[in-house]
């Protein structure tokens, strides 16, 4: 096995880097720029039963080292994804993770049941943490009991491993993480965006039409590192770490905090080639730091 | 190649807060379609976080120069305005679907209608329309006579009508006040603020092509930050929306809800 390969439930990754859900659509745009087989895995945008139109624009605002987004889970719906988006990805031999969302437990179950049957889907990422929709999403992710119940139900219908994507907008993320682990989650994905707001000085009104949005980018990295570190102390299942990864050192820092693989989000918008570039730099940086294999550093901060 | 560092050859303030910047590099070889844009990184650091989408005003493929005109609006464009000759800027592009020059037949009368920083992409378009044998009439709207730019350049392409909101030069009022008076034309191309585009679409007596702007995330169609609603679902994709960065920024009149 290569020294940068990582193995997670359902995900045999040639390297630990995948694009984060919502930042990569269904792969076609970045597939024009480079060979997606370079990636450790591909995590596609959230899928819901019905098509969703998302929030009004403006949907993005900026802050030093970060951006706020309020897309609102816009997606073409389950049927379209099954017929058009996932078949397009068949030409790649890298694992596909599909992020799923819904208004109700039944919605989530329906999407999980259908998506997990698709032969080129390796895992599901259960989105209980989108801060930009009024119903569904985050309402499932802020209470341990509700999150565990949903995880259990989705696990009962899914043919592939389920990674639960956690929200940082909670008092105690460790409580939620342990609850979904207890309910059978195969892994965790953390963190989703932090709820924020920016105001336009000319109008005195929020810049985002949705008023609030999710903060991502370098600004949130220390929050993500702290939360992954805390969760790693209490949870044994694998963690896909994300939140402000821009540089190769960030990957190593997330893994030392306790992540088994990582996802890159906002950085794709700054440099569309960031994922393959980080993968290219990884082994040289490991050599400089005397790291033999990536698996040897996971959770080192806890030791 | 779609991303490269380009070197600044020239930069000047041509009207209050309006800057013209010229950069050079081989990426220009691909910039043949007017109405496309580039996504420009103004800082190597993390503030601002995102790139700035800026329209292509002119390209000299032989000399490998790209000209852009932008308004200093916020932190990102202020940083760009502070750059000097010899500095490098990282450019991703050309991006998006531009204006269809081939929609105009030889001798067709094309009206170019621009407002504010929606004016620059019409210049590269106008040059190509003239080269293709079309006749060009341009209507440019400004607030006052002090804000006027690209006047001589557009005059070289054909008739130029300037409108100012305060009447300090040309027709007093908006671009649509001048458009109403035009007798016969075959199609129009327009770019500017959304209220202007809406008014142009309602006033024009023919079909035309409309270029939109919006706050963008990725610029390549992946993040869905800059979507707009379609009047009717796309027949091939079934989608009810379009991405301004990659399906646009240019749309056929009547295609999107303004």
């Amino acid at each position: 096995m290569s020294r940068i390969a990582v193995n997670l439930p359902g995900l045999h990754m040639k390297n630990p880097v995948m694009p984060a859900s919502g930042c990569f659509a269904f792969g076609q745009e970045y597939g024009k720029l480079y060979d997606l087989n370079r990636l450790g895995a591909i995590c596609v945008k959230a899928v819901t039963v019905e098509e969703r139109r998302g929030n009004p624009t403006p949907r993005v605002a900026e802050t030093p080292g970060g951006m706020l987004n309020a897309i609102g889970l816009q997606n073409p719906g389950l049927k379209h994804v099954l017929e058009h988006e996932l078949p397009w990805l068949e030409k790649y031999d890298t694992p596909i993770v599909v992020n799923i969302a819904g208004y109700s437990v039944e919605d989530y179950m329906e999407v999980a049941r259908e998506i997990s049957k698709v032969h080129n889907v390796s895992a599901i990422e259960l989105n209980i943490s989108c801060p930009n929709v009024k119903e569904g999403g985050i309402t499932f992710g802020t209470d341990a009991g509700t999150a565990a119940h949903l995880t259990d139900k989705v696990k009962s219908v899914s043919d592939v491993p389920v990674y639960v994507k956690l929200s940082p907008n909670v008092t105690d993320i460790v409580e939620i993480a342990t609850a979904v682990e207890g309910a059978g989650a195969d892994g965790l994905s953390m963190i989703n965006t932090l709820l924020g707001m920016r105001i336009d000085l000319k109008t005195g009104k929020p810049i985002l039409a949705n008023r609030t949005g999710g903060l991502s980018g370098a600004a949130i990295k220390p929050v993500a590192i702290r939360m992954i570190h805390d969760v790693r102390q209490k949870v044994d299942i694998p963690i896909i770490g994300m939140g402000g990864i821009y540089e190769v050192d960030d990957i190593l820092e997330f893994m030392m905090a306790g992540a088994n693989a990582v996802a890159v989000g906002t950085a794709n918008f700054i440099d569309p080639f960031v994922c393959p570039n980080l993968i290219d730099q990884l082994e040289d940086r490991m050599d400089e730091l005397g790291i033999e294999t990536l698996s040897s550093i996971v959770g080192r901060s806890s030791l | 190649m779609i991303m490269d560092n380009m070197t600044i050859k020239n930069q000047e303030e041509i009207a209050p807060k309006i800057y013209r910047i010229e950069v050079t590099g081989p990426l220009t070889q691909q910039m043949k379609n007017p109405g496309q844009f580039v996504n420009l990184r103004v800082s190597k650091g993390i503030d601002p976080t995102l790139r700035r989408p800026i329209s292509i005003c002119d390209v000299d493929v032989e000399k490998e120069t790209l000209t852009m005109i932008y308004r200093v609006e916020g932190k990102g464009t202020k940083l760009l305005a502070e750059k000097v000759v010899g500095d490098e800027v990282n450019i991703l592009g050309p991006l998006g679907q531009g204006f269809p020059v081939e929609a105009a037949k030889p001798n067709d009368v094309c009206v170019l209608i621009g407002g504010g920083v929606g004016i620059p992409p019409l210049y590269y378009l106008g040059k190509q329309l003239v080269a293709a044998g079309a006749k060009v009439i341009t209507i440019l709207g400004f607030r006052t006579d002090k804000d006027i730019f690209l006047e001589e350049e557009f005059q070289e392409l054909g008739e130029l009508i300037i409108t100012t909101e305060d009447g300090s030069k040309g027709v007093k009022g908006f671009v649509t006040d001048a458009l109403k008076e035009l007798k016969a034309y075959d199609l129009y191309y327009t770019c500017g603020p959304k209220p202007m585009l809406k008014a142009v679409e309602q006033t024009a007596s023919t079909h035309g092509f409309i270029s939109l702007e919006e706050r963008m995330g990725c610029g390549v169609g992946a993040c869905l930050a800059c979507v707009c609603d379609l009047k009717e679902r796309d027949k091939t994709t079934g989608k009810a929306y379009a991405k301004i960065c990659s399906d646009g920024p240019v749309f056929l009149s009547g295609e999107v809800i303004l």
Side-chain angles (χ1 to χ4, degrees):
Chain A
M1 200 169 113
S2 123
R3 59 199 286 238
I4 60 166
V6 294
N7 268 317
L8 278 66
L11 304 174
H12 301 290
M13 299 169 60
K14 40 192 162 305
N15 63 67
V17 179
M18 67 178 85
S21 176
C23 301
F24 214 70
F26 293 90
Q28 298 197 25
E29 292 75 14
Y30 290 93
K32 287 179 198 149
L33 302 180
Y34 61 87
D35 180 2
L36 302 185
N37 278 330
R38 301 284 318 280
L39 300 166
I42 298 169
C43 189
V44 302
K45 190 161 175 55
V47 180
T48 54
V49 177
E50 303 294 339
E51 171 190 48
R52 289 215 196 170
R53 303 289 281 268
N55 290 320
T57 57
R59 293 176 169 187
V60 290
E62 285 179 275
T63 191
M67 62 172 272
L68 295 164
N69 87 79
I71 308 299
L73 297 183
Q74 179 158 21
N75 79 94
L78 177 61
K79 187 165 174 281
H80 187 276
V81 171
L82 291 173
E83 287 172 5
H84 300 282
E85 307 292 354
L86 294 174
W88 185 86
L89 287 162
E90 276 171 11
K91 57 178 151 251
Y92 298 104
D93 72 352
T94 199
I96 308 295
V97 182
V98 179
N99 185 292
I100 67 166
Y103 291 118
S104 64
V105 174
E106 290 68 32
D107 277 1
Y108 277 98
M109 289 171 72
E110 185 178 345
V111 181
R113 193 183 294 120
E114 297 302 320
I115 288 286
S116 70
K117 278 188 213 150
V118 180
H119 70 92
N120 64 332
V121 171
S122 300
I124 278 174
E125 184 177 60
L126 187 61
N127 188 347
I128 57 167
S129 45
C130 175
N132 298 323
V133 290
K134 286 191 185 74
E135 294 168 72
I138 201 165
T139 50
F140 289 98
T142 49
D143 175 75
T146 314
H149 175 69
L150 180 67
T151 304
D152 176 59
K153 289 292 185 190
V154 167
K155 271 297 288 179
S156 73
V157 296
S158 175
D159 292 340
V160 295
V162 174
Y163 291 76
V164 181
K165 187 164 185 178
L166 302 182
S167 170
N169 303 306
V170 294
T171 313
D172 184 2
I173 198 166
V174 177
E175 185 198 3
I176 314 240
T178 49
V180 300
E181 181 183 42
D186 298 283
L188 301 172
S189 172
M190 58 187 285
I191 58 176
N192 206 319
T193 55
L194 286 152
L195 203 53
M197 182 189 275
R198 289 229 37 223
I199 290 167
D200 181 336
L201 294 188
K202 283 185 192 146
T203 62
K205 301 268 178 357
I207 294 174
L208 296 170
N210 188 51
R211 305 175 72 83
T212 60
L215 176 63
S216 63
I220 72 166
K221 192 183 82 171
V223 179
I225 295 288
R226 187 267 295 177
M227 288 185 160
I228 291 167
H229 172 88
D230 285 357
V231 166
R232 181 44 80 214
Q233 314 304 307
K234 303 284 181 188
V235 162
D236 293 322
I237 51 176
I239 297 172
I240 300 167
M242 66 199 71
I245 294 176
Y246 281 46
E247 298 169 354
V248 69
D249 283 10
D250 298 334
I251 297 173
L252 300 171
E253 191 176 351
F254 269 79
M255 296 189 85
M256 287 176 179
N260 303 75
V262 297
V264 179
T266 305
N268 289 292
F269 304 160
I270 300 155
D271 177 1
F273 300 95
V274 67
C275 287
N277 287 346
L278 294 180
I279 294 161
D280 284 342
Q281 294 164 27
L282 195 52
E283 289 198 65
D284 283 349
R285 188 60 181 142
M286 287 165 68
D287 289 341
E288 284 171 16
L289 293 167
I291 296 167
E292 193 61 39
T293 63
L294 283 180
S295 50
S296 68
I297 63 164
V298 173
R300 186 182 274 183
S301 63
S302 316
L303 301 176
Chain B
M1 183 172 56
I2 186 151
M3 190 172 82
D4 199 14
N5 289 329
M6 296 180 78
T7 308
I8 298 176
K9 293 246 296 191
N10 197 18
Q11 160 135 277
E12 58 180 325
E13 190 173 7
I14 55 171
K17 292 195 170 184
I18 303 286
Y19 285 74
R20 171 165 36 205
I21 188 169
E22 251 181 66
V23 296
T24 178
L27 204 55
T28 46
Q29 298 299 326
Q30 294 164 55
M31 300 178 180
K32 290 175 179 160
N33 187 355
Q36 288 188 296
F37 66 100
V38 298
N39 217 1
L40 189 148
R41 196 170 173 191
V42 293
S43 161
K44 279 187 179 147
I46 56 171
D47 186 21
T49 300
L50 296 171
R51 289 170 176 268
R52 264 51 199 163
I54 295 181
S55 62
I56 293 171
C57 173
D58 196 13
V59 178
D60 187 327
V61 177
E62 263 174 44
K63 289 185 184 156
E64 296 195 333
T65 55
L66 157 68
T67 305
M68 296 167 281
I69 291 177
Y70 61 95
R71 180 191 286 127
V72 173
E73 199 81 65
K75 198 185 267 178
T77 41
K78 187 161 181 283
L79 279 173
L80 184 58
E82 285 165 4
K83 291 192 184 293
V84 297
V85 173
D87 285 353
E88 284 194 332
V89 282
N90 186 269
I91 288 186
L92 175 67
L95 302 171
Q97 312 300 322
F99 290 113
V101 176
E102 68 286 355
K105 296 185 289 291
N107 295 317
D108 269 2
V109 177
C110 306
V111 189
L112 311 184
I113 308 149
V117 280
I119 291 170
L122 297 176
Y123 179 61
Y124 195 32
L125 169 70
K127 276 177 41 173
Q128 294 197 15
L129 286 171
V130 169
K135 293 197 172 68
V136 167
I137 300 172
T138 307
I139 305 173
L140 303 181
F142 301 94
R143 277 195 310 129
T144 74
D145 60 343
K146 291 186 182 64
D147 301 307
I148 294 170
F149 59 90
L150 289 182
E151 185 178 3
E152 284 172 26
E153 287 84 347
F154 276 101
Q155 263 165 356
E156 283 171 20
L157 301 177
E159 186 187 347
L160 171 66
I161 304 162
I162 281 178
T163 68
T164 52
E165 289 173 32
D166 66 352
S168 50
K169 181 157 183 174
V171 178
K172 183 175 192 299
F174 298 106
V175 289
T176 41
D177 294 314
L179 182 62
K180 265 183 246 166
E181 303 303 318
L182 284 189
K183 294 258 152 43
Y185 51 94
D186 297 291
L187 76 168
Y188 68 89
Y189 297 88
T190 186
C191 184
K194 209 181 260 181
M196 186 200 96
L197 300 178
K198 210 171 171 168
V200 166
E201 196 184 61
Q202 284 164 358
T203 307
S205 56
T206 66
H207 75 289
F209 296 92
I210 294 175
S211 182
L212 299 181
E213 58 174 16
E214 183 57 81
R215 280 173 184 264
M216 290 181 184
C218 65
V220 297
C223 77
L224 300 187
C226 65
V227 298
C228 59
D229 287 326
L230 292 171
K231 283 204 179 132
E232 285 171 32
R233 280 182 188 272
D234 186 294
K235 285 189 183 70
T236 42
T237 65
K239 285 180 182 165
Y241 62 89
K243 297 180 278 194
I244 292 174
C245 66
S246 59
D247 297 324
V250 175
F251 297 94
L252 182 64
S253 55
E255 191 180 1
V256 300
I257 297 171
L258 294 171

